[in-house]
Amino acid sequence: MATGMTCGYGGTYIVNDCALWVNKGEIAVIVGPNGAGKSTAMKAVFGMLNLCSGSVVFNGDDITHLAPQERVRIGMGFVPQNRNVFVSLSVEENLEMGAFISDSNVSTLKEQVFELFPILAEKRNQLAGNLSGGQRQQVAVARALMTQPRLLMLDEPTAGVSPIVMDELFDRIVEIALTGVAVIMVEQNARQALEIADQGFVLVQGSNRFIDSGKLLLANEEVRRSFLGG
Amino acid sequence: MTKHVGVVYFITSIALLAVGALQSWNIALSIFNLCIISAVMALGLNIQWGYAGLFNVGIMGFTALGALTAVVVSMPKVQRAWVVASNGLILSFLSFIAVVISIVLARRLLPLTSSLRLPVTIGLLIAGYLLIGNFFLPATKQIEAIDPVISGYLGGMGLPILLSWPIAGIVTAVAGWLIGKVSLGLRGDYFAIATLGISDIIIAIIKYEEWLSRGVRNVTGIPRPVPYEIDLLDLSWFVSLTHFLGVTDINNASSIFVKLCYGVLFFVVLAIILWLSERALKSPWGRMMRAIRDNRDAAEAMGKDVKARYLQVFILGCAICGIAGAMLATLEGQFTPTSYIPLRFTFLIWVMVILGGSGNNWGAVLGGVIIWFLWVEVEPVGNWFVSIITASLPKTSFITTHLIAGTSYTRYLLMGIILLSVMRFAPRGLIPER
Amino acid sequence: MEIANAFALLTNFVIIPSITYGAQLSLSALGVTIVFGILRFANFSHGELMSFGAMVTILITSLFQTKGINIFPIPTALLALPIGIIATIAIALLADQLIFRFYRKNRSKPIIFTMASLGLMFFMAGLIRIIIGPNEYSFADGARFLISFRDFKAITGWDQGIAIKQTQLITLVVTLIVVINLLWFIYKTRWGKAMRAYSDNEDLALLSGINPERVVLLAWIIAGALACVAGTLYSLDKIYKPFIFTQITLPVFAATIIGGIGQPIGAVLGGFVVAFSEVAVTYSFKKFLTYLAPTNWEPQGLVQLISTDYKYAVSYIILIVVLLLRPTGIIPGKTT
């Protein structure tokens, strides 16, 4: 969906001629070493920084020049890496804010999300700021889901959570993809992430190094040696 | 100095000269003198805001403290007040020291973890407050009871008034050190609110501690560093000088001469402070201050002791404002605590610095001069303007009287417009920082 | 009997005045805290905004009075208040469009906003004094007392009476209505929650599709309305004088910071804390203790913590102490 993206901050190009795509109901994972421009590429897709060249196409429409807020409206949901929940709002209010622009029935939407994340239903009246790290990430994903996105973008959803919570989060993400949402995410835990990925992108210095299905990347000797630690 | 700086200064002097020619030289000189004092204050603030980015809105407090110092240094001692009250004052001072020592000791003795620390400290503070009050309040009552119409306060040290200028600098530096110590941990808006509060506390103390400052009853007749107009008339050299110059109105001449003397004195002080500020700005210290202002975190990461630097710069700025306060009290010959209001003594100085160009000393001086000039001259110009637009109306009509009553407040309006437009259209001021 | 007298004394001179003053401060602090929460700067012009609102209300009130329109025994000012509110909101929105929007677009530092608010303060101080002059205005024309000192003593037979001014009751009732509605709006409605979300995390609010300009607009509407109501109630209860409102900014900031900046409930609490301490610390408890203490045990001095001269200074001292010891306030607020 995004092709030939070149962009960066203040004159230096961090992302160079990079391409990313994902289909409906599939999960795409971006992995790569530190400083490879993974998060930057993601932000570029979402329009949080301007492209120097290249284009972003969503659902057949060219949206290269659309503002991030507008992209939310047409069905792109974004979960930032940091500060991704409203800490002084309750879990339920966080979800309501996610559905701020939606015209459909908020309470049925909320129940659907609570079904996916039962723990949040239990804590719906707690302040999001008082939750544990894993639960917060769930709130963050749930908030983005409330916008009813057709494409869900996650920037390191498992940063700073325990392995058990990570597995659970990945399970949820797979479930989300099964409902027909396209998921694209940046991950540090490359091996586990690639296991659930339909499509994998290995980024090095802002450019695509390998593009393949998750399984094939895991099987690729060079990828394993260089990026997955053997 | 660049050509640009020369041009703006030239235009400003023309404006002052125009006032001299059109209104009177007396008025022009009084404006000029206060312009210089304003310029000194603006320099003080420029050191804090322009060099270091400290949002100090407590200038009023330091100026008033400087003015109070002028009173305490120069006024004659009230002997009777000292006689009746010295015991009480000494006792209260001793008890103050005792309280401080006991609190420090108690906090030393109690372990850090002890839950008793806070209650004991508060208890000692209250006990100390009552103890000091026990000696202090009767003593101040006695002082205030002595000839309340003309004295009713301790008086001063009877030293030459000029000595009070450097002393005011030292006193306000100490105050600045204390205040900076406690409040510089706060950032941005919080620091602003804290300094505004502290300056109001200082004014409240000066206003209501009558034994020290005569409070709202004002101190008048502060000694002068220059001759009195009346005395000049008896001096043969002055009389012959006026004859030599061919002046007819000798009273007016003496008043101009006195103002000129003040002007020269103030100008010397301004020149010294300006020279020192420029030296400081161009030194490695000045460069470091600007680095801290532009990126505090980076400077901190490079191992600069940011807090200590802030404290230095805060103290320096406060001391300069204090000197300006002493100069002001000297010029006015009186100390009126109620005239110290933030609009005039804090926020106006801010307009000066922003207009002149924050970070540029020449700009701050220029801003001080221009803003004070406008502050004073808006009223006559406004009156003239009103008289033109209401020329067709009867003198007693509601609109005429209302508009005339309002003209003195157009200065507030104008200052607001100047501040907002400079920030919007020329955020670097008239003489931008190099 | 003695206890009743002591109670009446305390109620009349400490509790009623500080509740009234506290309510007025709370309303003002709410406005400051909302602007701080949404626009992230300390609005030094809020006092002048209050003054402006009160001024418009006074002008409309006198217009009504000359036309003979009134709602006796309730002060005419309450009839004029809605017009004052609309005018204050209008000037707040105008100021935002002409001044603050530019810096918002440029993403300027909070300190620049604060400085711009100083400019606005100057401008409005001048404007107000040109329009209405620097003098005092008293415009409470309704019934003066709900219960007067003398009536109370006659009814109860106590030595001490409790007088309740009508303006005090009006202050309380109006404050109660405003605060309840405002809290309901902020905590229960969709846009109220959006405002809290924006105040909490601007970027995420954008990602949720919340329109920032709309939130800012709401913040100014609320702040303007609150400023006008607070200013009118204050001057109705005491007196209107432009200079008072230049001075009141600090106690209002004190209340805001004590409550925790950006915290509506905190601002309400902070207002009462400041008011109670100002009144209680400077009140002489001599008479009160004389009633309670056994005979011959009357206290000697005034039993007053700080001289009445320092009434205002008390709030500054509280402000400084809170800033230094617990800058986050009662309810942890935002930091810049």
Side-chain angles (χ1 to χ4, degrees), chain B residues 49 55 129 182 189-190 194 196 200 205 208-209 343 347 354 402 406 409 412-413 416 419-420 423-424, chain C residues 42 98 102-103 111-112 114-115 118-119 121-123 129-131 134 250 261 305 309-310 316 320 324 334:
Chain B
W49 166 250
F55 200 164
Y129 182 76
V182 292
D189 289 357
Y190 287 82
L196 187 63
D200 261 305
I205 292 174
Y208 301 120
E209 295 305 315
L343 276 179
F347 299 128
I354 302 293
H402 197 82
Y409 296 100
Y412 290 148
L413 207 67
L419 180 57
L420 289 172
M423 283 181 65
R424 174 77 172 259
Chain C
L98 292 180
F102 172 77
Y103 300 106
I111 224 165
I112 300 295
T114 306
M115 212 178 295
L118 288 181
M121 181 188 77
F122 254 120
F123 181 82
R129 284 160 175 82
I130 287 173
I131 295 177
L250 260 182
I261 278 181
L305 277 174
D309 295 335
Y310 289 104
Y316 312 151
I320 307 296
L324 298 178
K334 319 199 78 56

Side-chain angles (χ1 to χ4, degrees), chain C residues 158-173:
Chain C
W158 298 352
D159 289 345
Q160 290 297 331
I162 299 176
I164 300 177
K165 282 196 288 180
Q166 193 207 29
T167 51
Q168 292 173 326
L169 185 77
I170 289 177
T171 298
L172 264 190
V173 172

Side-chain angles (χ1 to χ4, degrees), chain A residues 46 69 72-73 78 83-88 93 96-97 100-101 143, chain C residues 187 190-191 193-194 196-197 200-202 204-210:
Chain A
F46 195 66
Q69 299 94 293
V72 176
R73 283 175 201 275
F78 186 75
R83 292 180 27 98
N84 51 18
V85 296
F86 298 111
V87 287
S88 63
E93 286 170 339
E96 284 168 21
M97 286 302 108
F100 193 79
I101 47 166
R143 185 205 60 81
Chain C
Y187 286 95
R190 182 161 163 265
W191 273 102
K193 288 174 186 174
R196 281 194 296 138
D200 181 320
N201 189 332
E202 209 177 313
L204 197 60
L206 274 175
L207 290 184
S208 304
I210 297 170

Side-chain angles (χ1 to χ4, degrees), chain B residues 24-71:
Chain B
S24 85
W25 290 104
N26 234 325
I27 296 182
L29 272 174
S30 16
I31 296 178
F32 174 76
N33 285 343
L34 276 163
C35 278
I36 300 286
I37 295 180
S38 305
V40 173
M41 288 188 207
L43 271 179
L45 176 62
N46 185 44
I47 288 184
Q48 294 175 341
W49 166 250
Y51 291 16
L54 286 178
F55 200 164
N56 174 15
V57 283
I59 304 157
M60 170 184 77
F62 297 101
T63 316
L65 210 56
L68 177 70
T69 312
V71 168

